[in-house]
């Protein structure tokens, strides 16, 4: 039996998913939650084969949950379930170690098949997209000298700062907690020897060729 955990803030969605999956005969739902924080705490203890994680939740998101649980137990496969296609979210999902990223419009039989494939160790991520993500990471070698100390995530934060986005807006785009973004911004300023985000925006605009 394939053990599955469900994370979605809508109970009716969880009920429908549970009925669909258990009706397949080879899948059992070992736990469910409507809260990102609760799921991050419970999933490692339950050790499901696959965690189906809603991308957006009132108290966080499934991508962060995927990153957190895989840091504890990398054998748990994360399958991100989302209502819409979004390059940034897909990038974040790949970086979080998700094994798959599927839209909620998926047919029931296809979702059951997706769970089976992910449980068997396959990736449902489009190879072309994965390649694009890896190219984005590798392109860091051509960074200006001042930016070489920044991680890929910090560089992306800096780019958003240069575009004039607030921490909350950056958090929404990168599927991170606002507090996490604040910490990243502080780290970027410290590494660049700056005191204010306006200085970082000016520097980034110059180095990255960003224009408002």
């Amino acid at each position: 039996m394939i053990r599955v955990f469900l994370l979605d803030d809508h109970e009716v969605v969880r009920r429908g998913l549970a009925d669909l999956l258990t009706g397949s005969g080879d899948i059992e739902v070992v736990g469910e939650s409507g809260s990102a924080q609760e799921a991050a705490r419970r999933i490692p203890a339950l050790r499901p084969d696959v965690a189906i994680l809603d991308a957006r939740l009132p108290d966080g998101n499934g991508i962060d949950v995927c990153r957190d649980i895989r840091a504890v137990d990398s054998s748990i496969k994360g399958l991100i379930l989302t209502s819409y296609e979004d390059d940034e979210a897909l990038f974040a999902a790949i970086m979080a170690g998700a094994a798959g990223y599927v839209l909620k419009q998926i047919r029931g039989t296809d979702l059951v098949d997706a769970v089976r494939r992910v449980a068997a160790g396959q990736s449902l991520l489009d190879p072309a997209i994965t390649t694009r993500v890896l190219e984005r990471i590798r392109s860091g070698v051509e960074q200006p000298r001042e930016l070489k100390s920044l991680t890929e995530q910090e560089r992306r934060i800096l780019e958003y700062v240069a575009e004039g986005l607030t921490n909350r807006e950056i958090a929404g785009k990168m599927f991170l907690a606002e507090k996490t973004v604040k910490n990243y911004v502080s780290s970027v300023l410290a590494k660049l020897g700056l005191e204010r985000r306006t200085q970082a925006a000016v520097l980034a605009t110059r180095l990255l060729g960003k224009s408002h």
Side-chain angles (χ1 to χ4, degrees):
M1 294 288 280
I2 300 168
R3 294 161 53 81
V4 172
F5 187 98
L6 302 174
L7 170 60
D8 194 291
D9 58 323
H10 295 107
E11 185 187 1
V12 67
V13 174
R14 297 199 306 272
R15 290 268 66 81
L17 287 172
D19 290 346
L20 171 72
L21 295 170
T22 53
S24 68
D26 61 342
I27 299 172
E28 66 171 323
V29 176
V30 296
E32 62 175 71
S33 176
S35 156
Q37 292 181 14
E38 181 190 31
R41 193 172 60 247
R42 290 181 56 207
I43 292 173
L46 289 167
R47 298 200 66 193
D49 299 301
V50 179
I52 297 178
L53 308 167
D54 190 8
R56 294 202 173 212
L57 298 148
D59 67 334
N61 63 75
I63 293 172
D64 277 350
V65 172
C66 180
R67 184 183 298 108
D68 291 346
I69 61 176
R70 286 184 54 79
V72 177
D73 186 346
S74 61
S75 71
I76 299 171
K77 311 291 194 305
L79 187 58
I80 307 297
L81 197 58
T82 184
S83 304
Y84 46 85
E85 234 167 330
D86 176 351
D87 258 14
E88 283 300 324
L90 183 52
F91 178 88
I94 292 171
M95 296 302 288
Y101 183 95
V102 294
L103 296 174
K104 285 187 176 177
Q105 296 91 309
I106 191 171
R107 287 171 44 210
T109 51
D110 290 339
L111 181 62
V112 171
D113 180 55
V115 169
R116 288 178 179 141
R117 287 170 59 192
V118 166
Q122 295 180 38
S123 171
L124 297 185
L125 297 164
D126 184 333
I129 294 171
T130 308
T131 301
R132 202 162 77 225
V133 169
L134 293 174
E135 279 171 4
R136 274 178 69 170
I137 296 168
R138 288 196 199 103
S139 70
V141 297
E142 296 159 21
Q143 291 176 6
R145 180 179 51 78
E146 292 95 329
L147 301 184
K148 284 189 176 170
S149 63
L150 303 183
T151 64
E152 173 69 16
Q153 195 87 316
E154 287 170 343
R155 182 184 161 117
R156 291 174 62 224
I157 296 259
L158 179 60
E159 289 178 359
Y160 285 134
V161 167
E163 288 170 14
L165 272 62
T166 64
N167 287 355
R168 177 170 291 184
E169 289 168 335
I170 296 171
K173 278 185 168 289
M174 295 184 67
F175 287 79
L176 296 170
E178 193 174 343
K179 184 181 175 187
T180 304
V181 172
K182 186 179 177 184
N183 291 339
Y184 270 124
V185 171
S186 297
S187 174
V188 168
L189 293 178
K191 285 184 177 181
L192 296 177
L194 304 173
E195 293 177 6
R196 295 188 300 279
R197 63 190 294 141
T198 49
Q199 294 173 309
V202 170
L203 178 68
T205 302
R206 183 167 60 81
L207 297 176
L208 301 170
K210 290 272 175 190
S211 58
H212 292 286

